[in-house]
Amino acid sequence: MGNGNSNIWIDRRAALTALASVGQLSAGPVPAGGLWILAGQSNMQGAGLLRNAPAGDNRIRVYTLSGRWTAAAEPLHDLWDAKDPAYWPGGKRTPELVAQRKAFANRSGAGLGLPFALSMLERTGVPIGLLPCALGGTTMAEWSPSRREEGNRSLYGAMLGRIRATGGQVAGVLWYQGEADGKPGLAAAYKQDFQNFIQSLRNDLQMETLPFYFVQIGRHVHDTQAAVNGPAWNLVQESQRQVELEIPYTAMATSVDLEMDDGIHIGTDGLRELGRRLALIASKTATAGPRPLRATCRGRSVHLQLSGVNGRIESSGRLAGFTVADSAGRITPRLFRVIANGDSISLPFDGGPTPPAYLWYGHGKDPYCNVRDSQGMALPAFGPFPIQALP
């Protein structure tokens, strides 16, 4: 694996067959480290190029979409072989779509699930199980818990069925979704829908403290989806940031600073980094990273106090990603410097912002953001964040 040639899908099957022949693969039970649910849309399903994908480990097992336990290898989501109707358009598996999915899996499909498991294994030494459930392009409406009674014809129902099939020993949830809702008409409802999803899943599993770790959607750079725009995208990002603040036993990993393999998908190296960040959170090795606490303005400088910083704010170059806007959303283009001071950031202005003013990080369609702390945990996109004027 990892050479990027056209035989990757065949090589993956051959490798798994070889492992089975020496008795290294068997049915259940869930490994000692428990089962981590991988749910959401394409960035969780995995769209990274396979040529840079990490190798698996026999102590990491996956319950495939085809309904069997096996050693984990990329791509984890074997959509070409999914047995639940929810993973096929109209519930119908066709030879044409099977061929398309196999062709995609020849070159792409690396995700964050395997890097997460490898990082957890490195930190704990405990074998871990993965339950792929994601499907690209899906909205919160398609993941709605209200569709649980549809069984495996709905994504939520299929996920519950797969959990039951493994014995239900769930350690936590990894979620990466929201791009499909980052458009007018959907973004405004995202926060409530997302909160309902988390609480419903905890209720259905009878696990009120179920760890739920999710990725804030990153940036997008293409124009192929005319309905996708900056304000709606930013609204989903801000909604996700607020969910982390409001819902207990959740934490959010940041992706806005990571490189991409195309106009909307995080690249393989970025997904590897996301897996590492989520493992730091899940293993309690680090906080989820810097978060905006308060922004104040005195004279010609805005001061941003941060919480959750591991060590101090660091960067490999000039810190970037901040903008200031007035109450009407108009950008104030006079920010000329960003200065890190341990767990705070100063933003000097030429003339200073005129109150009322609001601070943004990751504003707009294709921002360049690079604020991280000593553990490599990144500042999430946020805004509008009110700036308090001081005398």
Side-chain angles (χ1 to χ4, degrees):
M1 291 241 358
N3 59 6
N5 64 36
S6 61
N7 294 317
I8 288 176
W9 184 80
I10 298 172
D11 291 346
R12 178 182 187 271
R13 287 298 193 203
L16 296 180
T17 300
L19 287 171
S21 69
V22 295
Q24 291 181 298
L25 301 183
S26 60
V30 176
L35 187 71
W36 286 87
I37 301 168
L38 311 177
Q41 55 181 115
S42 57
N43 272 309
M44 177 59 79
Q45 175 190 311
L49 298 176
L50 289 173
R51 62 172 176 262
N52 297 324
D57 187 295
N58 287 340
R59 294 169 294 175
I60 302 170
R61 296 166 61 78
V62 58
Y63 188 71
T64 65
L65 286 166
S66 51
R68 63 192 184 93
W69 281 107
T70 186
E74 297 285 22
L76 293 178
H77 285 76
D78 56 335
L79 284 169
W80 62 87
D81 208 19
K83 71 174 186 178
D84 291 323
Y87 291 92
W88 300 95
K92 297 179 180 179
R93 172 181 173 140
T94 66
E96 294 78 15
L97 188 52
V98 170
Q100 290 174 16
R101 289 180 172 181
K102 285 183 179 180
F104 180 83
N106 283 340
R107 62 183 186 277
S108 302
L112 63 82
L114 183 56
F116 166 81
L118 288 167
S119 190
M120 287 290 284
L121 190 61
E122 178 184 352
R123 285 165 173 78
T124 67
V126 179
I128 191 172
L130 300 173
L131 186 71
C133 296
L135 182 62
T138 49
T139 64
M140 284 306 307
E142 291 173 279
W143 281 97
S144 175
S146 67
R147 302 183 61 181
R148 64 172 61 80
E149 300 306 321
E150 297 177 31
N152 67 1
R153 302 193 70 83
S154 74
L155 290 171
Y156 190 86
M159 177 178 61
L160 290 180
R162 287 170 53 70
I163 294 169
R164 295 187 186 104
T166 65
Q169 301 173 39
V170 178
V173 179
L174 302 183
W175 173 264
Y176 194 163
Q177 188 276 339
E179 297 93 341
D181 292 274
K183 60 189 68 173
L186 294 178
Y190 187 85
K191 180 181 176 182
Q192 181 175 344
D193 290 345
F194 189 26
Q195 290 174 322
N196 179 58
F197 177 88
I198 296 171
Q199 191 57 55
S200 295
L201 182 57
R202 287 174 170 172
N203 290 343
D204 286 333
L205 297 182
Q206 298 182 18
M207 299 177 67
E208 286 303 306
T209 61
L210 173 70
F212 195 104
Y213 305 137
F214 61 96
V215 180
Q216 184 190 53
I217 61 172
R219 56 195 176 97
H220 71 98
V221 300
H222 65 76
D223 288 316
T224 57
Q225 295 179 344
V228 176
N229 65 7
W233 196 270
N234 284 151
L235 179 55
V236 170
Q237 290 172 321
E238 178 65 8
S239 296
Q240 292 172 325
R241 188 183 73 85
Q242 293 174 9
V243 166
E244 181 190 43
L245 290 171
E246 297 173 10
I247 303 295
Y249 308 104
T250 66
M252 182 178 73
T254 299
S255 67
V256 73
D257 63 315
L258 299 176
E259 292 184 352
M260 305 170 74
D261 270 352
D262 59 35
I264 201 168
H265 294 112
I266 302 294
T268 306
D269 291 341
L271 291 165
R272 192 192 303 258
E273 173 61 15
L274 276 176
R276 185 192 74 88
R277 290 176 182 176
L278 286 163
L280 287 177
I281 295 169
S283 64
K284 307 292 191 296
T285 307
T287 73
R291 298 293 188 263
L293 185 61
R294 68 179 64 86
T296 56
C297 177
R298 177 181 280 119
R300 297 185 176 186
S301 183
V302 171
H303 180 80
L304 175 64
Q305 184 64 47
L306 300 168
S307 63
V309 178
N310 298 284
R312 58 185 294 110
I313 295 300
E314 301 179 357
S315 77
S316 58
R318 181 175 66 89
L319 291 173
F322 295 96
T323 53
V324 172
D326 63 19
S327 58
R330 293 184 291 264
I331 299 298
T332 302
R334 298 194 301 274
L335 170 64
F336 62 83
R337 191 179 181 188
V338 180
I339 307 168
N341 300 297
D343 62 352
S344 65
I345 291 174
S346 295
L347 303 99
F349 276 76
D350 181 12
T354 301
Y358 299 86
L359 183 63
W360 294 77
Y361 181 72
H363 181 272
K365 186 171 183 179
D366 183 23
Y368 177 73
C369 300
N370 67 345
V371 178
R372 301 177 182 177
D373 65 20
S374 300
Q375 285 279 6
M377 305 297 266
L379 182 67
F382 65 83
F385 196 84
I387 300 172
Q388 178 185 1
L390 299 178

